[in-house]
Structures are given as structure tokens and as C-alpha cells.
Amino acid sequence: MKPSILVVDDEPGMSWVIRRLLAGRGWRVVTAANGTEALEALRSQRFELALVDAKLPDVDGLELAARMGKAAAGLPLILMSAYFYPDDPLVQRALASGVIREFIAKPFRHEALLAALGPGPAAGTQAAR
Amino acid sequence: MSAAAIEKVAREWRLSVDALGEELCLLDGGGRILRCNRAMRERIGRPYEEILGQTCQQRVCAPGPCAATCPLQRMRVTLRRVSGELAIGERVYQATADPVLNSAGALAGAVLLLADRTEARRSALLNRLLTDSIPSSVLLLDKSLRVVLANRNFLEKSRRTEAETLGRPLSSVFPEVILEELGLEEQIRQVFGENRAKGGQRLTYRAPGVPIRVYFYSIVPVAWGSRVDHVLLLMDDITEQARLSEEIHRMERHLASVVESASDLVISTDSAGRIISWNKAAERISGYRFDQVKGQPLLAFLEEKHRTAAAESFERDALPNAAEWDVVTRAGKPRKVSWVLSPMVDGENRRQGFVAVGRDLTEQRKLEHELRQSQKLASLGVMASGIAHEIRTPLTISSSAAQFLAEDELTPDFRRECAQKVHEGIERASVIIENLLRFARPANQSERAAVDLSRVVGNAAGVIGSQARLQKVRVVTRLPEEPLTVLGVASLLEQVCVNLLLNAIHAMPGGGTIEISAERTAAEATLRVSDTGHGIAREDLDKIFDPFYSRAPAGKGIGLGLSLCYSIVKQHMGSIEVESEPGRGSAFSVKLPLL
């Protein structure tokens, strides 16, 4: 069973990018377009990792992250955002409190995201850039 | 002499005596009437037989007693002519008693002459009354400069009695200082000589310890024929008038100064609209000096296209009215001025003219333009985060697509797909940028044109779209099928919509719904922006259109938005209203006249 990654983002383009990027690296990608879908997915499946966009149509990304943390304890969450930057106080606080493990600003370098995902199931297949 | 001759003389004498207007009688030593003339007989009103032999008291002075002042009595003592006033009944006589002496020089009888002075007396009394009621001081002087007559005012002012004054020389009744200062005596002598009035001049009387007084004097000759027998010296104490006059002048200067210092144009015209006054501000703004405009119609200095409307205002009967008419400066340039025209009426409410007060709008317009611009930029600032988010999102796709393209071993299909994504992302970002830049551009506001309100709404919704999405605000637009055309400046109307929309978004920090609609009602287009936000408190409702009134925390909006909306809507001849319920939401309605 491939490890699953939950991608919570309402932008269809992001889904295209993540799928393409993680294809062949051994991840199973599940996308959710809003907070409700994300929480439902958490109830029905087990995920290794989650990528959460900071601005979702029905809920704030950080707030969702907190709820996801309660719904699936220990699930590493990476916050992605076209709104915030790493030095934003909200981001800093979320990192410090452990609500999120990492933050990636959009646009992003693929290496940065891949590095944030950790060694992953198919480690070593990707040459470093 | 023969008896006949004597008789003739007696008859002639009787005729002459009877022709007299005065009363004449001959009395014997005991005061009994021997003879009297017709005038006396007629006045007594009895036949001759009843008069003769009676005493003069019984007939002449009856029914009253002998008067104490009767000259007869005195004459009997002095045996000389005595003349004096005698009152008989209501009439006053100048009575003259002449003694008739016998050969021994003793009194044998008397001749009494009575001249009716009643009218003259009454006339003199009236004159006295008049001169005494004159508030001026009057002195009548004879050729030797002695006082013949002094009126009450003079006597009171100089604190003298009549007895102390009449017959005295001028120099003893008049303040020496004044006589010298004016050379009055010399002037009076000149008047006597030339028979021409002098004076009509002011004299300021200063004396230590005495408040200054100002007098107005004149010397008037009183002539009989060509001879000047007397002179009238008239003096008026005009201290109070002089003071009031000075006070009035001071007030006038002050008021003139007030008008001159005003920064607005202050112009007055006659009832036909011709310029009577023109203040400094009018000179500065128009470039014309007062002497260049005086007497000309004010309309001549207005822009031709405004003259008809202005002329109508002058005709109108109603209260002050206000309008914007351009003034054409001396340099030929039009300058926007906002006028208030008020009628001037006199005490009987008749129209005397007009007062036109004008405010130069050029500066104001410039300021408004700058304010609008800065407010626009402030709006952009508010939207910055939403804008950034909306641009970064498509760029993320382009960036990733480009990163894929850099990899090896791509299928041609995938390569094409990536290239496409790069392109699309950049396009999306460009559209957003274009929307914003168009919004940020300063409006060329002098160009009014036919504007489709639906398009304006659509554009505005586009501009704020990012912000709305960011704050989870749903924007619902309801626009009519046919175009809603108004006359105005599209970018300004767009600014109004954007402002209203941003305010609505701001009122719903946790998300909500905005409804923006435009519809036609009768001859108007109504634009409505409603939200489900926190609403506006009742006590704030009438202040929200005031500039700088802002309920937002410091740094978030400077409160210009709604006041500029108000200003723009007004300039488009429209109206803007708000309804609100705290906790439920607000709705702003803008009504504009349809083209």
C-alpha cells in the first residue's frame, strides 16, 4: 500500500502540479478542495502527510490545520500559501506551536517541496538539483 | 374863524379820526369820555349816547377793572405821555395816554390811543416759542454786537438768565476762547457789511478737564431791504453726531475690510445685475480690477454657456439660490466657481440688488482630484494582499510547469501541456494586473460621456474579486439585460462601486454575502450594494459621509471612501442613502438620473 498524501487546495492547477511532481515517487495523492472534504478524507483514510493551502473557500488554512491535528494526531502538516511568507508572524507562531511542521510559499521550487516531504517511499530515485 | 369854518374843521377832524384803525378817545379830568372815535364805538358795541359821560373804566376797559398797568394812571402823575401795554379782555393793546393841560398847566383831560397789538403779540409769542424750541443756540445781535434776543437753548447752555444776557455785548456772553479762535466778531462784522451768510463750519472745543465738544455754527444776516440791521448767530452742538458719524465710518471701514479680506468672491450688483462692488478676491480670481468691471453686468464675466441659467437666477423671486457658473478670467480661461446669489432688500422689502458670493472651485477640484487619487491608492493598499494572492496563484502553476520543462525525458504531450500552463498562468496574472492598473489610473474627469452602469458594476466586481475570495465573501450580481445609461465619468462611478464593495467586504471579516444590483426605476438608475455584515449604529448613520469619520482602527482605511462617494454621486446629480441594522447588515443605494 502506497503511503498517501492529502493535498488540500481549491486551485485545480495545484492538483495538476502535485500529482505530476509526486508521480513516480511512490506517493498516492488524494486531493480535497475545501476543509469539509479534507476532514471527511481524514475520517475515511490514513495519511502519511498533508499539504494544506492557507486560503480555502470555507475555512482558514491554519484553522483547518489545527482541526486536522485533532482529528489525526501526529499527522505532519505542511502549510502552503500564495498569501503568506515565511516571516509572517502567524506562520512563525504556527511553526513554533507545532500546528504545522513546515511552511512553503508559492510559487515554490520543486526541490524545496520534495525536501519537505522527507525521504519518502521512493527515496534516492530523484537526483538533487 | 367863522362858525361854519369851525364846523368844517370839526367835521374833517371827525372823519379823519373815524378813519383810524386805532381806538381814540378824549377824557375829561375825571376820566369821563367826552369823545370817542368809530373804532372805539364799534369795539364797545354801544350807541354813542351810552358811551359819552361814562368813565373810561366803565366803557373802555369794561367789564374788567382798571388795569394796574394803565398808562393813564402814570400819566396823571408824570403829566407826560405814557405808553404801555394794556390788556382788555383777550386782546392786547399798546395804550398811549397824552395829557391835556389847561392854561395853568394842570391836567384838564387826556387823550387815550389804543392800538391793537394782539396779532403782533401772538406772533411774537409764537416766534419766542419757536426759537426756544430750537435745539440750536440762537443769538440775535444788533450792529453794535449786543444781544437783542437769546433763545432758551443758549441761556441754558451758558447758564445765564435772560436779564443777564439781553443788551449785553457778545463778548460778555460768549466764551472768549471760541470768539478768539474763530475770529467771530470780525466774521460778524463782515456779515453786516456784505449781507452774506457765513459759517457752516465745524468748531472743536477743547478745554482741559472738559470733554471735547464739536459745534457747527453759522452767521446769518437779517436784512430789511438792503440794510442789515441784525445778525443771527446759530450754534449747534454736534458732538454726539460727530461721534456717531465717526462710529459709522469706522464700522463701514471695518465691514469693507471684512469683505476685502474674504477669500471668497464677494460682489454686489444693482437690481439689474450691474456690478456695484467687487472685492479683492474677485479681483484676484478674475484678473479684473474693480474700475474695469464697475457698472457692467456680472453676467458678462461668466462663461457663455452659463449665462442663461445665471440670468434666470437674477430674475427669480425666490430666496438665495446656489449654482456653479464658470467665470472667464481676463486671460480668457474659464474658472469654476460655486455661487450663492442672494437678493438685497431695503427697509420696505423692495429688491435693491444682489449679493453674489463665489467660491473658487479650482483649488477645491484639484484637492478633490488628489483626494480621490489617494483614496484609490488606499483602496489598492487594502486590496494588496488579495491582489498578491491572486497573482501568486497562477504564477505558481507557471513556475512549476517551467520547472517540469527543465526536466529530461518528457513526452511531447506533457511538454506542450507544461508550455500551455506557463502561458495560462501568466495570462491570468496579467488580467488581474490590468484590472488594477486601470483602476489606479487617475480619472480624466472633465470628460463626461454615456456610461453603462452595468459595465461599471461588472468592472468593480472584478477589481474587488480577489479581496472577496480572500475573505470568503460571496459576491452576487444582479444586472438588467438592457444597458442602464447615465451621463458621467466611468472611472469615477467605478471608484464609487469599488468603495462600496470594499466597505461591504470590510464589514464581514468572517465572510458573508454581498449583493450588488443595478436596476431602472422610472427616470433613474438605482445601484444597490448590500452586505450581511456588522451594520452601522444609528447614531453614526448621518456621520458616515463626513470626511475622515472612520470607525476603522488606525492604519486600516482613513475614512475618505464614503465622503468621496458622496461627492462623486452629487457631481453626477445623484443621491446616496444608507439603511442599516446593526448585526444584520447594511445596504447603500445610489440613484442616478438616466440619460
Side-chain angles (χ1 to χ4, degrees), chain A residues 11 13-14 16-17 20-21 55-59 81-85 105-111, chain B residues 385-386 388-389 392-393 395-397 399-401 403-404 406-408 414 417-418 421 428 470 472:
Chain A
E11 177 64 44
M14 272 306 290
W16 176 83
V17 167
R20 274 292 188 268
L21 187 58
K55 296 291 174 189
L56 294 166
D58 60 347
V59 69
S81 182
Y83 185 79
F84 293 116
Y85 284 105
K106 298 180 191 174
F108 60 92
R109 295 196 68 88
H110 293 174
E111 304 90 79
Chain B
S385 48
H389 181 246
R392 281 165 70 185
T393 304
L395 288 186
T396 306
I397 314 300
S399 163
S400 290
Q403 288 180 73
F404 286 138
E407 288 171 13
D408 309 318
F414 185 56
E417 204 184 356
C418 287
K421 292 273 189 226
R428 256 176 77 183
L470 194 66
K472 293 177 242 316

Short mmCIF file of all heavy atoms in Angstrom, two decimals, chain A residues 11 13-14 16-17 20-21 55-59 81-85 105-111, chain B residues 385-386 388-389 392-393 395-397 399-401 403-404 406-408 414 417-418 421 428 470 472:
data_model
loop_
_atom_site.label_atom_id
_atom_site.label_comp_id
_atom_site.label_asym_id
_atom_site.label_seq_id
_atom_site.Cartn_x
_atom_site.Cartn_y
_atom_site.Cartn_z
N GLU A 11 -7.41 25.23 -5.81
CA GLU A 11 -6.92 25.63 -7.13
C GLU A 11 -6.63 24.35 -7.93
O GLU A 11 -5.74 23.56 -7.57
CB GLU A 11 -5.65 26.46 -6.93
CG GLU A 11 -4.97 26.89 -8.20
CD GLU A 11 -5.80 27.82 -9.06
OE1 GLU A 11 -6.41 28.76 -8.52
OE2 GLU A 11 -5.84 27.58 -10.29
N GLY A 13 -5.10 23.90 -10.69
CA GLY A 13 -3.73 23.86 -11.18
C GLY A 13 -2.79 23.20 -10.19
O GLY A 13 -1.84 22.49 -10.56
N MET A 14 -3.03 23.45 -8.89
CA MET A 14 -2.17 22.88 -7.85
C MET A 14 -2.27 21.36 -7.85
O MET A 14 -1.27 20.66 -7.70
CB MET A 14 -2.57 23.41 -6.46
CG MET A 14 -1.89 24.70 -6.09
SD MET A 14 -0.09 24.61 -6.20
CE MET A 14 0.29 23.55 -4.82
N TRP A 16 -2.86 19.47 -10.38
CA TRP A 16 -2.08 19.05 -11.54
C TRP A 16 -0.60 19.00 -11.21
O TRP A 16 0.10 18.02 -11.50
CB TRP A 16 -2.37 20.00 -12.70
CG TRP A 16 -1.58 19.75 -13.95
CD1 TRP A 16 -1.83 18.85 -14.93
CD2 TRP A 16 -0.38 20.41 -14.35
NE1 TRP A 16 -0.91 18.89 -15.93
CE2 TRP A 16 0.02 19.88 -15.59
CE3 TRP A 16 0.41 21.45 -13.79
CZ2 TRP A 16 1.17 20.31 -16.28
CZ3 TRP A 16 1.54 21.88 -14.49
CH2 TRP A 16 1.91 21.30 -15.72
N VAL A 17 -0.10 20.07 -10.55
CA VAL A 17 1.33 20.16 -10.22
C VAL A 17 1.73 19.05 -9.27
O VAL A 17 2.72 18.33 -9.50
CB VAL A 17 1.66 21.54 -9.61
CG1 VAL A 17 3.04 21.54 -8.98
CG2 VAL A 17 1.57 22.63 -10.68
N ARG A 20 1.69 15.52 -10.76
CA ARG A 20 2.82 15.34 -11.67
C ARG A 20 4.12 15.21 -10.90
O ARG A 20 5.00 14.42 -11.23
CB ARG A 20 2.93 16.53 -12.63
CG ARG A 20 2.09 16.42 -13.84
CD ARG A 20 2.62 15.31 -14.74
NE ARG A 20 1.91 15.32 -16.01
CZ ARG A 20 0.84 14.62 -16.27
NH1 ARG A 20 0.33 13.82 -15.37
NH2 ARG A 20 0.25 14.71 -17.45
N LEU A 21 4.27 16.02 -9.88
CA LEU A 21 5.52 16.06 -9.13
C LEU A 21 5.73 14.76 -8.34
O LEU A 21 6.84 14.24 -8.26
CB LEU A 21 5.50 17.27 -8.18
CG LEU A 21 6.78 17.58 -7.42
CD1 LEU A 21 7.94 17.81 -8.39
CD2 LEU A 21 6.58 18.81 -6.55
N LYS A 55 -5.42 29.50 2.23
CA LYS A 55 -6.70 30.18 1.97
C LYS A 55 -7.64 29.23 1.24
O LYS A 55 -7.49 28.97 0.05
CB LYS A 55 -6.48 31.44 1.11
CG LYS A 55 -5.65 32.50 1.79
CD LYS A 55 -6.39 33.14 2.95
CE LYS A 55 -5.49 34.10 3.70
NZ LYS A 55 -6.09 34.58 4.95
N LEU A 56 -8.58 28.68 1.99
CA LEU A 56 -9.56 27.77 1.42
C LEU A 56 -10.92 28.45 1.42
O LEU A 56 -11.15 29.36 2.20
CB LEU A 56 -9.60 26.48 2.24
CG LEU A 56 -8.30 25.66 2.18
CD1 LEU A 56 -8.26 24.60 3.26
CD2 LEU A 56 -8.16 25.01 0.80
N PRO A 57 -11.82 28.02 0.52
CA PRO A 57 -13.10 28.72 0.40
C PRO A 57 -13.95 28.68 1.66
O PRO A 57 -14.68 29.62 1.93
CB PRO A 57 -13.81 28.01 -0.75
CG PRO A 57 -13.00 26.83 -1.10
CD PRO A 57 -11.66 26.97 -0.50
N ASP A 58 -13.84 27.61 2.46
CA ASP A 58 -14.76 27.55 3.60
C ASP A 58 -14.08 27.71 4.95
O ASP A 58 -14.74 27.84 5.97
CB ASP A 58 -15.55 26.23 3.56
CG ASP A 58 -14.61 25.02 3.62
OD1 ASP A 58 -13.39 25.22 3.44
OD2 ASP A 58 -15.10 23.90 3.83
N VAL A 59 -12.79 27.70 4.98
CA VAL A 59 -12.10 27.78 6.27
C VAL A 59 -10.69 28.29 6.05
O VAL A 59 -10.11 28.17 4.96
CB VAL A 59 -12.10 26.39 6.97
CG1 VAL A 59 -11.20 25.42 6.21
CG2 VAL A 59 -11.65 26.51 8.42
N SER A 81 1.26 28.46 0.84
CA SER A 81 0.46 29.68 0.70
C SER A 81 0.96 30.65 -0.36
O SER A 81 2.17 30.90 -0.46
CB SER A 81 0.40 30.42 2.04
OG SER A 81 -0.40 31.57 1.89
N ALA A 82 -0.01 31.19 -1.11
CA ALA A 82 0.28 32.30 -2.03
C ALA A 82 -0.05 33.62 -1.34
O ALA A 82 0.00 34.68 -1.97
CB ALA A 82 -0.55 32.16 -3.30
N TYR A 83 -0.40 33.52 -0.07
CA TYR A 83 -0.77 34.73 0.69
C TYR A 83 0.33 35.11 1.68
O TYR A 83 0.78 36.24 1.72
CB TYR A 83 -2.09 34.47 1.43
CG TYR A 83 -2.61 35.69 2.14
CD1 TYR A 83 -3.29 36.69 1.44
CD2 TYR A 83 -2.42 35.86 3.51
CE1 TYR A 83 -3.77 37.82 2.09
CE2 TYR A 83 -2.90 36.99 4.16
CZ TYR A 83 -3.56 37.94 3.44
OH TYR A 83 -4.03 39.06 4.08
N PHE A 84 0.77 34.10 2.48
CA PHE A 84 1.77 34.39 3.49
C PHE A 84 3.19 34.24 2.97
O PHE A 84 3.42 33.69 1.90
CB PHE A 84 1.61 33.43 4.68
CG PHE A 84 0.34 33.64 5.45
CD1 PHE A 84 -0.62 32.65 5.50
CD2 PHE A 84 0.12 34.82 6.13
CE1 PHE A 84 -1.80 32.85 6.21
CE2 PHE A 84 -1.05 35.02 6.85
CZ PHE A 84 -2.02 34.02 6.88
N TYR A 85 4.12 34.72 3.77
CA TYR A 85 5.55 34.49 3.56
C TYR A 85 6.10 33.89 4.84
O TYR A 85 5.47 34.03 5.90
CB TYR A 85 6.27 35.80 3.21
CG TYR A 85 6.04 36.24 1.79
CD1 TYR A 85 5.18 37.28 1.49
CD2 TYR A 85 6.67 35.57 0.73
CE1 TYR A 85 4.95 37.67 0.19
CE2 TYR A 85 6.44 35.94 -0.58
CZ TYR A 85 5.58 37.00 -0.85
OH TYR A 85 5.35 37.37 -2.15
N ALA A 105 6.16 28.78 0.68
CA ALA A 105 5.48 29.88 -0.02
C ALA A 105 5.35 29.54 -1.49
O ALA A 105 6.23 28.90 -2.07
CB ALA A 105 6.27 31.17 0.18
N LYS A 106 4.26 30.01 -2.10
CA LYS A 106 4.06 29.81 -3.54
C LYS A 106 4.39 31.09 -4.26
O LYS A 106 4.06 32.16 -3.76
CB LYS A 106 2.58 29.49 -3.83
CG LYS A 106 2.03 28.26 -3.22
CD LYS A 106 0.55 28.16 -3.66
CE LYS A 106 -0.20 27.11 -2.92
NZ LYS A 106 -1.63 27.13 -3.25
N PRO A 107 4.93 31.04 -5.47
CA PRO A 107 5.49 29.87 -6.18
C PRO A 107 6.64 29.21 -5.41
O PRO A 107 7.27 29.87 -4.59
CB PRO A 107 5.98 30.45 -7.51
CG PRO A 107 5.36 31.79 -7.63
CD PRO A 107 5.09 32.26 -6.24
N PHE A 108 6.90 27.97 -5.68
CA PHE A 108 7.92 27.25 -4.91
C PHE A 108 8.84 26.46 -5.83
O PHE A 108 8.47 26.10 -6.96
CB PHE A 108 7.25 26.31 -3.91
CG PHE A 108 6.37 25.27 -4.55
CD1 PHE A 108 6.89 24.01 -4.91
CD2 PHE A 108 5.05 25.54 -4.82
CE1 PHE A 108 6.08 23.06 -5.52
CE2 PHE A 108 4.24 24.58 -5.42
CZ PHE A 108 4.74 23.34 -5.78
N ARG A 109 10.01 26.19 -5.36
CA ARG A 109 10.94 25.32 -6.09
C ARG A 109 10.58 23.87 -5.74
O ARG A 109 10.34 23.55 -4.57
CB ARG A 109 12.38 25.62 -5.69
CG ARG A 109 12.82 27.02 -6.10
CD ARG A 109 14.32 27.16 -6.05
NE ARG A 109 14.97 26.34 -7.06
CZ ARG A 109 15.22 26.74 -8.32
NH1 ARG A 109 14.89 27.94 -8.71
NH2 ARG A 109 15.80 25.93 -9.17
N HIS A 110 10.54 23.06 -6.74
CA HIS A 110 10.16 21.66 -6.52
C HIS A 110 11.06 20.98 -5.48
O HIS A 110 10.57 20.18 -4.68
CB HIS A 110 10.17 20.88 -7.84
CG HIS A 110 9.08 21.35 -8.78
ND1 HIS A 110 8.97 20.87 -10.07
CD2 HIS A 110 8.09 22.24 -8.61
CE1 HIS A 110 7.93 21.46 -10.65
NE2 HIS A 110 7.38 22.29 -9.79
N GLU A 111 12.35 21.31 -5.51
CA GLU A 111 13.26 20.65 -4.54
C GLU A 111 12.83 20.96 -3.12
O GLU A 111 12.93 20.10 -2.23
CB GLU A 111 14.71 21.14 -4.67
CG GLU A 111 15.32 20.99 -6.04
CD GLU A 111 15.08 22.22 -6.89
OE1 GLU A 111 15.78 23.23 -6.71
OE2 GLU A 111 14.13 22.14 -7.70
N SER B 385 -3.18 42.57 -0.36
CA SER B 385 -2.96 41.17 -0.01
C SER B 385 -3.77 40.25 -0.90
O SER B 385 -3.27 39.20 -1.35
CB SER B 385 -3.31 40.94 1.46
OG SER B 385 -4.57 41.51 1.74
N GLY B 386 -5.01 40.66 -1.16
CA GLY B 386 -5.83 39.84 -2.04
C GLY B 386 -5.25 39.79 -3.44
O GLY B 386 -5.25 38.74 -4.09
N ALA B 388 -2.13 40.23 -4.33
CA ALA B 388 -0.90 39.43 -4.34
C ALA B 388 -1.24 37.94 -4.41
O ALA B 388 -0.65 37.18 -5.18
CB ALA B 388 -0.09 39.73 -3.09
N HIS B 389 -2.19 37.58 -3.59
CA HIS B 389 -2.60 36.18 -3.56
C HIS B 389 -3.09 35.72 -4.91
O HIS B 389 -2.73 34.64 -5.40
CB HIS B 389 -3.71 36.03 -2.50
CG HIS B 389 -4.20 34.63 -2.34
ND1 HIS B 389 -5.47 34.25 -2.66
CD2 HIS B 389 -3.55 33.53 -1.88
CE1 HIS B 389 -5.61 32.96 -2.40
NE2 HIS B 389 -4.47 32.49 -1.94
N ARG B 392 -0.05 35.47 -7.29
CA ARG B 392 0.90 34.39 -6.98
C ARG B 392 0.34 33.02 -7.34
O ARG B 392 1.08 32.11 -7.72
CB ARG B 392 1.26 34.42 -5.48
CG ARG B 392 2.29 35.49 -5.14
CD ARG B 392 2.38 35.76 -3.66
NE ARG B 392 2.97 34.66 -2.93
CZ ARG B 392 3.07 34.62 -1.60
NH1 ARG B 392 2.60 35.61 -0.88
NH2 ARG B 392 3.61 33.58 -1.01
N THR B 393 -0.95 32.85 -7.23
CA THR B 393 -1.53 31.53 -7.51
C THR B 393 -1.28 31.08 -8.94
O THR B 393 -0.69 30.00 -9.16
CB THR B 393 -3.03 31.53 -7.16
OG1 THR B 393 -3.19 31.93 -5.80
CG2 THR B 393 -3.64 30.17 -7.37
N LEU B 395 0.89 32.22 -10.96
CA LEU B 395 2.34 32.17 -11.17
C LEU B 395 2.94 30.89 -10.62
O LEU B 395 3.97 30.39 -11.11
CB LEU B 395 3.02 33.39 -10.53
CG LEU B 395 2.80 34.73 -11.24
CD1 LEU B 395 3.64 35.82 -10.60
CD2 LEU B 395 3.14 34.62 -12.73
N THR B 396 2.31 30.39 -9.55
CA THR B 396 2.78 29.11 -9.00
C THR B 396 2.70 28.02 -10.06
O THR B 396 3.64 27.21 -10.23
CB THR B 396 1.93 28.71 -7.78
OG1 THR B 396 1.93 29.78 -6.85
CG2 THR B 396 2.46 27.44 -7.12
N ILE B 397 1.55 28.01 -10.76
CA ILE B 397 1.37 26.99 -11.80
C ILE B 397 2.41 27.17 -12.90
O ILE B 397 3.04 26.19 -13.34
CB ILE B 397 -0.06 27.06 -12.40
CG1 ILE B 397 -1.12 27.17 -11.32
CG2 ILE B 397 -0.31 25.88 -13.33
CD1 ILE B 397 -1.12 25.99 -10.35
N SER B 399 5.27 28.60 -12.68
CA SER B 399 6.61 28.26 -12.16
C SER B 399 6.83 26.76 -12.17
O SER B 399 7.87 26.26 -12.64
CB SER B 399 6.74 28.82 -10.74
OG SER B 399 7.82 28.20 -10.08
N SER B 400 5.85 26.04 -11.67
CA SER B 400 6.01 24.58 -11.63
C SER B 400 6.06 24.00 -13.03
O SER B 400 6.87 23.09 -13.30
CB SER B 400 4.87 23.96 -10.82
OG SER B 400 5.00 24.28 -9.46
N ALA B 401 5.21 24.51 -13.91
CA ALA B 401 5.23 24.00 -15.29
C ALA B 401 6.60 24.22 -15.91
O ALA B 401 7.15 23.34 -16.60
CB ALA B 401 4.14 24.69 -16.10
N GLN B 403 9.38 24.48 -14.29
CA GLN B 403 10.35 23.57 -13.65
C GLN B 403 10.26 22.17 -14.25
O GLN B 403 11.26 21.47 -14.45
CB GLN B 403 10.11 23.53 -12.13
CG GLN B 403 10.54 24.83 -11.45
CD GLN B 403 10.32 24.81 -9.95
OE1 GLN B 403 11.05 24.12 -9.21
NE2 GLN B 403 9.30 25.54 -9.50
N PHE B 404 9.02 21.76 -14.60
CA PHE B 404 8.87 20.45 -15.24
C PHE B 404 9.58 20.45 -16.59
O PHE B 404 10.24 19.48 -16.96
CB PHE B 404 7.38 20.11 -15.45
CG PHE B 404 6.65 19.73 -14.20
CD1 PHE B 404 5.37 20.21 -13.95
CD2 PHE B 404 7.23 18.89 -13.25
CE1 PHE B 404 4.69 19.85 -12.80
CE2 PHE B 404 6.55 18.53 -12.10
CZ PHE B 404 5.26 19.01 -11.87
N ALA B 406 12.11 21.84 -17.49
CA ALA B 406 13.57 21.75 -17.39
C ALA B 406 14.04 20.31 -17.17
O ALA B 406 15.23 20.01 -17.22
CB ALA B 406 14.05 22.65 -16.26
N GLU B 407 13.08 19.43 -16.88
CA GLU B 407 13.49 18.04 -16.64
C GLU B 407 13.77 17.32 -17.96
O GLU B 407 13.40 17.78 -19.05
CB GLU B 407 12.36 17.30 -15.91
CG GLU B 407 12.20 17.70 -14.46
CD GLU B 407 10.94 17.10 -13.85
OE1 GLU B 407 10.35 16.18 -14.47
OE2 GLU B 407 10.53 17.57 -12.78
N ASP B 408 14.42 16.15 -17.83
CA ASP B 408 14.65 15.32 -19.02
C ASP B 408 13.48 14.37 -19.19
O ASP B 408 12.62 14.23 -18.33
CB ASP B 408 15.92 14.47 -18.84
CG ASP B 408 17.09 15.34 -18.42
OD1 ASP B 408 17.22 16.44 -18.99
OD2 ASP B 408 17.83 14.92 -17.49
N PHE B 414 3.27 16.09 -22.78
CA PHE B 414 3.47 16.72 -21.48
C PHE B 414 4.20 18.04 -21.63
O PHE B 414 3.86 19.03 -20.98
CB PHE B 414 4.24 15.78 -20.55
CG PHE B 414 4.37 16.32 -19.15
CD1 PHE B 414 3.24 16.67 -18.41
CD2 PHE B 414 5.63 16.51 -18.56
CE1 PHE B 414 3.36 17.18 -17.13
CE2 PHE B 414 5.74 17.01 -17.28
CZ PHE B 414 4.62 17.34 -16.56
N GLU B 417 1.77 20.47 -22.72
CA GLU B 417 0.87 20.82 -21.62
C GLU B 417 1.56 21.82 -20.68
O GLU B 417 0.94 22.81 -20.25
CB GLU B 417 0.50 19.55 -20.85
CG GLU B 417 -0.82 19.70 -20.10
CD GLU B 417 -1.13 18.46 -19.25
OE1 GLU B 417 -0.37 17.47 -19.30
OE2 GLU B 417 -2.13 18.50 -18.52
N CYS B 418 2.81 21.56 -20.37
CA CYS B 418 3.55 22.47 -19.48
C CYS B 418 3.67 23.86 -20.08
O CYS B 418 3.43 24.87 -19.40
CB CYS B 418 4.96 21.91 -19.22
SG CYS B 418 4.97 20.50 -18.12
N LYS B 421 0.52 25.64 -19.66
CA LYS B 421 0.27 26.08 -18.28
C LYS B 421 1.08 27.33 -17.95
O LYS B 421 0.61 28.22 -17.23
CB LYS B 421 0.63 24.96 -17.29
CG LYS B 421 -0.29 23.76 -17.37
CD LYS B 421 -1.51 23.93 -16.48
CE LYS B 421 -2.27 22.62 -16.44
NZ LYS B 421 -3.69 22.73 -16.61
N ARG B 428 -3.35 34.86 -16.74
CA ARG B 428 -4.24 35.12 -15.60
C ARG B 428 -3.70 36.26 -14.74
O ARG B 428 -4.43 37.16 -14.34
CB ARG B 428 -4.36 33.87 -14.73
CG ARG B 428 -5.68 33.14 -14.91
CD ARG B 428 -5.72 31.88 -14.11
NE ARG B 428 -5.96 32.13 -12.70
CZ ARG B 428 -5.98 31.17 -11.77
NH1 ARG B 428 -5.73 29.92 -12.11
NH2 ARG B 428 -6.22 31.46 -10.52
N LEU B 470 -10.62 36.15 -0.96
CA LEU B 470 -9.71 36.01 0.18
C LEU B 470 -10.46 35.99 1.49
O LEU B 470 -10.14 35.24 2.41
CB LEU B 470 -8.73 37.19 0.16
CG LEU B 470 -7.52 37.05 1.05
CD1 LEU B 470 -6.65 35.92 0.55
CD2 LEU B 470 -6.74 38.34 1.06
N LYS B 472 -13.53 35.20 1.91
CA LYS B 472 -14.68 34.30 1.87
C LYS B 472 -15.99 35.05 1.81
O LYS B 472 -16.96 34.74 2.50
CB LYS B 472 -14.66 33.36 3.08
CG LYS B 472 -13.50 32.41 3.00
CD LYS B 472 -13.42 31.54 4.20
CE LYS B 472 -12.11 31.75 4.96
NZ LYS B 472 -10.94 31.82 4.12
#
